[in-house]
Each structure stands twice: as structure tokens, then as C-alpha cells.
């Protein structure tokens, strides 16, 4: 059996690594890793792959940035040729990026079995491109691996056959569990670099266009962060594009107690996230990681495709209410912290469950 794994951005590698490692332990399966190049990440050095315990991509399509239509079309054109040549028995796609959608469409046209890891997640907000990618991919997939019970329920409500659905837990947590001990060793170095104390700072990460491309909203967020930083230091790894957006807001001033730093690697971010008093974010993956770590998470979004982080975890949806953001940070500082729990099957063995499902159902998948 030949399986091709499609990744397009750094979080996809975090999800693919435990799956590929578990499948490596199974006999009779060849694996090929294709990076579409949808996102370029300078942190993807040799150490990145060695830490994840995975090989570098066998093929890099080098697609690069562009509009959603451009990226999707370019990836489809390139994958169509590659799939025709390699003739995979099954293609694995991860998450909800444009690469996921592109590969799913090509598989459907070429009648190749498709497996979707992180299936069934829904924000119910179709203005988000990722939501469209999720819905289309799930409707085309032959086997759907969900991270939580709400994913199962969403798929069944949409008419997906229950026999296609397998709840395996969260593969991102596999990677977190594997790398957390190594990350913890970096604390003396990282705390010294930024002059911070355990549980004595707030971590911030923002990337969604609704927050960083809207000058009014970005200005309101910075104003709130300035107020928060007067009570507790704020550590903000900021993308150069976002830094430029901040600089372009008339009259904006960044408090000296906000440390704007360059983007950092996954392990460095993991230790800083794990030791933070709280995390302010708009990232879905960080909502999951903070839930596992037991770190309060304040999400600057109106909705989330990961509701289990709200119902079971440490996540609170802030929306666009910056007064609420400030008051929730105040609560955390004074010890009024929401206690969450770790969702079912977020235990570090999701990749193994996926591999076992594939092997147990091998003949069915190849029919």
C-alpha cells in the first residue's frame, strides 16, 4: 500500500508527524510526504524535522503565496500530475488549509481514497475560508478521523455514513506531549532572554485577517494590550506583516511593557506558552494546546471550530469585546482562573489509533 501525506503549513507537519511515525511501524505500507509550499516557514530547518522525528518532504511543490483561488488551482495542477505518476492507494490530508482542499478535489477526480485527519470541526461561519475547506474535504473523504465527539456529531448531521467516522483524538497533542519535556529544558534560556517569570506574563499570538488586517480592530487590540501590560508583562511574537500593520495605525503607541519579538520556533513557543499566566490568541491550534496544558486561553474571535476547548477546556471566547478581554485578564491575575479538563483521547496516542484503523481496515480501504 502506498500512502501520500499532503502538508502545506507548519501546523500540518505537527499533525502528520505522529501519524507517519505510527504507520512506519506497520508492515507493507510505503509513505511519501508532499509539501505544497503553501506557506514558507524559515523555522523549518533540519532541527525542526529531527525534533518531530520525521523525514524532510520527498516533494516540495513550491507553490508560494497568492489568492485562495490561485493557491488552490496551482496545487491541484501539480498534484494531478504527481498522483497520476505515483498512483497512491490513499492520500492523507490534514486540517483545513488550501492544500487540504486542493488534494481532496484531485483525489475525487482521480478516484483515489482520501483520509482526513482533524475531520468534523465546524465554526458554522462560512465567511471563513477554512470552514469551506473543512466542509468540502469532509464531504469527499472516504475515512474521517475526528479529534472530539462534536466532530462526529457534525459529520453525522451532515449525512456522513457513521462507518466512515473514527474518533481518534487530537494528533497535535501527540506532538505536544512528545516535545514538551524537551521544551521545558529551554525555560532558563527563554526566561532569561525575555526577563520573565513563571506565570508572570501574558503570551499573545494573532494572525487572522479579521484582527490584524482591520486597522480599527488591530488598534483596539493594541490599546487593550497596553492596558493589560501595565498590570502584567505582555510577550507578543509578531509577524513582520503584522508589525507593519501596527506601525501604520495613526497615533498608535506600544507600551514598553509589551515585548514585541520576532516569530519563534515551535519548541520555544511551547515552553513560553506552557509557563504563561494566560494566552491571548486567535489560533485554533493554540486553543487546543492551552486546553491540554491547563493554561487560560482568551480567544479574540466570535466563534471557534473547536468548541470542546470552551465546554471542557480553558478557552474563553472574547469576540471583539476588548473590555471583556481586559476584565478576563484581571480575573486571571487575581486567581479567578477557569479550571478545564483534558478532552477524551487527547492522550498522545492518536497517531497510533489512526495507523491501527488503517491496518485493520486495509482491504476495505483498497476496494
Amino acid at each position: 500500500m502506498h500512502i501520500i501525506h499532503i502538508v502545506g503549513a507548519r501546523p500540518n507537519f505537527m499533525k502528520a508527524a505522529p501519524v507517519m511515525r505510527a504507520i512506519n511501524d506497520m508492515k507493507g505500507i510505503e509513505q511519501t510526504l508532499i509539501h505544497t509550499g503553501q506557506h514558507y516557514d524559515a523555522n523549518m530547518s533540519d532541527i525542526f524535522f529531527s525534533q518531530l522525528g520525521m523525514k524532510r518532504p520527498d516533494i516540495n511543490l513550491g507553490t508560494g503565496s497568492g489568492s485562495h483561488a490561485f493557491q488552490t488551482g496551482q496545487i491541484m495542477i501539480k498534484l494531478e500530475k504527481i498522483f497520476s505518476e505515483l498512483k497512491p492507494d490513499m492520500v492523507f490530508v490534514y486540517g483545513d488549509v488550501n492544500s487540504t482542499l486542493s488534494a481532496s478535489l484531485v483525489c475525487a477526480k482521480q478516484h483515489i481514497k482520501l483520509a482526513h485527519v482533524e475531520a468534523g470541526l465546524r465554526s458554522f461561519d462560512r465567511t471563513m475560508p477554512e470552514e469551506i475547506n473543512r466542509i468540502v474535504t469532509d464531504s469527499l473523504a472516504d475515512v474521517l478521523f475526528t479529534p472530539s465527539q462534536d466532530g462526529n456529531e457534525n459529520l453525522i448531521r451532515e449525512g456522513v455514513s457513521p462507518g466512515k467516522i473514527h474518533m481518534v483524538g487530537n494528533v497535535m497533542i501527540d506532538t505536544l506531549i512528545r516535545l514538551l519535556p524537551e521544551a521545558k529544558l529551554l525555560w532558563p534560556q527563554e526566561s532569561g532572554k525575555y526577563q520573565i517569570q513563571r506565570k508572570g506574563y501574558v503570551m499573545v499570538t494573532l494572525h487572522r485577517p479579521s484582527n490584524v488586517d482591520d486597522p480599527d480592530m488591530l488598534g483596539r487590540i493594541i490599546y487593550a494590550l497596553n492596558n493589560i501590560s501595565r498590570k502584567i508583562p505582555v510577550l507578543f511574537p509578531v509577524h513582520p506583516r503584522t508589525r507593519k500593520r501596527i506601525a501604520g495605525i495613526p497615533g498608535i503607541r506600544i507600551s514598553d511593557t509589551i515585548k514585541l519579538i520576532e516569530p519563534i520556533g515551535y519548541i520555544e513557543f511551547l515552553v513560553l506558552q506552557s509557563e504563561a499566566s494566560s494566552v491571548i490568541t486567535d489560533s485554533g491550534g493554540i486553543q487546543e494546546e492551552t486546553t491540554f496544558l491547563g493554561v487560560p486561553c482568551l480567544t479574540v474571535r466570535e466563534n471557534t471550530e473547536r468548541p470542546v476547548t470552551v465546554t471542557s477546556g480553558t478557552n474563553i471566547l472574547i469576540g471583539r469585546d476588548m473590555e471583556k478581554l481586559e476584565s478576563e485578564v484581571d480575573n486571571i491575575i487575581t486567581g479567578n482562573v477557569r479550571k478545564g479538563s483534558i478532552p477524551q483521547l487527547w492522550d498522545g496516542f492518536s497517531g497510533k489509533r489512526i495507523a491501527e484503523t488503517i491496518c485493520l481496515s486495509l482491504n476495505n480501504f483498497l476496494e
Side-chain angles (χ1 to χ4, degrees):
M1 183 181 189
H2 182 198
I3 294 175
I4 289 180
H5 301 264
I6 302 296
V7 292
R10 185 167 66 161
N12 293 162
F13 282 88
M14 310 300 187
K15 296 165 188 173
V19 176
M20 294 187 70
R21 191 165 54 250
I23 291 176
N24 274 340
D25 294 335
M26 308 293 177
K27 293 181 180 179
I29 300 180
E30 176 189 358
Q31 299 188 86
T32 298
L33 179 63
I34 297 178
H35 182 14
T36 66
Q38 176 182 329
H39 293 163
Y40 171 75
D41 192 328
N43 288 314
M44 285 186 183
S45 61
D46 288 336
I47 192 170
F48 172 85
F49 293 100
S50 65
Q51 288 169 340
L52 288 180
M54 71 188 303
K55 63 180 179 178
R56 278 186 167 275
D58 299 288
I59 300 171
N60 191 323
L61 304 184
T63 302
S65 60
S67 69
H68 290 286
F70 175 84
Q71 277 192 338
T72 302
Q74 288 295 306
I75 295 169
M76 286 183 68
I77 291 168
K78 294 174 181 180
L79 287 181
E80 182 180 54
K81 182 174 185 295
I82 290 170
F83 289 176
S84 295
E85 293 172 352
L86 297 183
K87 301 188 184 309
D89 297 295
M90 178 173 283
V91 170
F92 270 66
V93 293
Y94 299 84
D96 52 22
V97 297
N98 288 339
S99 301
T100 305
L101 173 65
S102 301
S104 301
L105 290 168
V106 175
C107 284
K109 299 288 186 179
Q110 295 192 355
H111 309 293
I112 300 169
K113 297 292 185 182
L114 176 69
H116 185 201
V117 177
E118 203 177 69
L121 299 185
R122 298 290 183 269
S123 68
F124 304 101
D125 179 2
R126 294 202 179 190
T127 65
M128 297 174 62
E130 297 91 343
E131 183 77 352
I132 304 303
N133 294 349
R134 288 188 284 263
I135 292 170
V136 174
T137 298
D138 285 342
S139 69
L140 297 175
D142 298 283
V143 55
L144 302 102
F145 294 112
T146 62
S148 48
Q149 184 60 38
D150 59 285
N152 292 35
E153 294 166 359
N154 291 335
L155 293 172
I156 290 170
R157 186 168 53 248
E158 292 170 9
V160 175
S161 169
K164 293 183 175 182
I165 303 168
H166 304 269
M167 192 171 94
V168 294
N170 192 327
V171 290
M172 276 288 286
I173 301 305
D174 288 23
T175 296
L176 185 154
I177 290 173
R178 184 167 179 268
L179 296 182
L180 186 58
E182 184 176 347
K184 291 287 191 181
L185 296 176
L186 294 180
W187 173 249
Q189 168 189 316
E190 297 300 309
S191 61
K193 185 187 301 182
Y194 304 116
Q195 296 299 299
I196 50 177
Q197 303 295 322
R198 281 190 170 94
K199 306 303 177 185
Y201 61 98
V202 174
M203 194 79 177
V204 178
T205 170
L206 299 168
H207 73 281
R208 292 195 176 273
S210 58
N211 286 325
V212 300
D213 289 352
D214 179 346
D216 177 65
M217 186 61 195
L218 184 57
R220 290 174 56 214
I221 291 172
I222 296 300
Y223 180 82
L225 293 179
N226 278 338
N227 290 340
I228 290 167
S229 73
R230 295 188 184 100
K231 304 165 189 173
I232 186 170
V234 171
L235 192 61
F236 187 179
V238 58
H239 190 278
R241 179 169 164 272
T242 303
R243 190 186 290 265
K244 186 176 180 181
R245 295 279 187 185
I246 294 172
I249 300 174
I252 198 72
R253 178 186 172 277
I254 303 291
S255 170
D256 293 339
T257 45
I258 296 179
K259 300 176 188 290
L260 292 182
I261 65 175
E262 295 300 313
I264 54 180
Y266 175 73
I267 289 188
E268 290 79 8
F269 185 87
L270 179 56
V271 66
L272 292 172
Q273 177 183 205
S274 69
E275 299 294 355
S277 167
S278 61
V279 176
I280 298 171
T281 190
D282 56 15
S283 162
I286 290 172
Q287 294 171 52
E288 295 174 326
E289 291 177 351
T290 48
T291 282
F292 181 84
L293 294 167
V295 174
C297 181
L298 306 174
T299 299
V300 188
R301 286 173 53 185
E302 299 283 359
N303 51 54
T304 178
E305 65 282 359
R306 294 161 170 88
V308 70
T309 64
V310 177
T311 56
S312 298
T314 59
N315 188 22
I316 297 174
L317 289 180
I318 298 298
R320 301 171 68 88
D321 187 345
M322 293 300 99
E323 289 185 4
K324 182 177 181 180
L325 178 64
E326 292 185 40
S327 68
E328 291 292 351
V329 172
D330 286 342
N331 286 336
I332 293 165
I333 291 172
T334 57
N336 183 15
V337 178
R338 174 179 180 171
K339 300 294 184 183
S341 60
I342 298 174
Q344 182 184 6
L345 299 183
W346 291 24
D347 56 6
F349 297 103
S350 297
K352 183 178 180 181
R353 282 188 281 270
I354 289 172
E356 289 174 345
T357 301
I358 291 295
C359 288
L360 288 172
S361 306
L362 197 57
N363 290 334
N364 292 334
F365 290 144
L366 293 178
E367 286 179 359

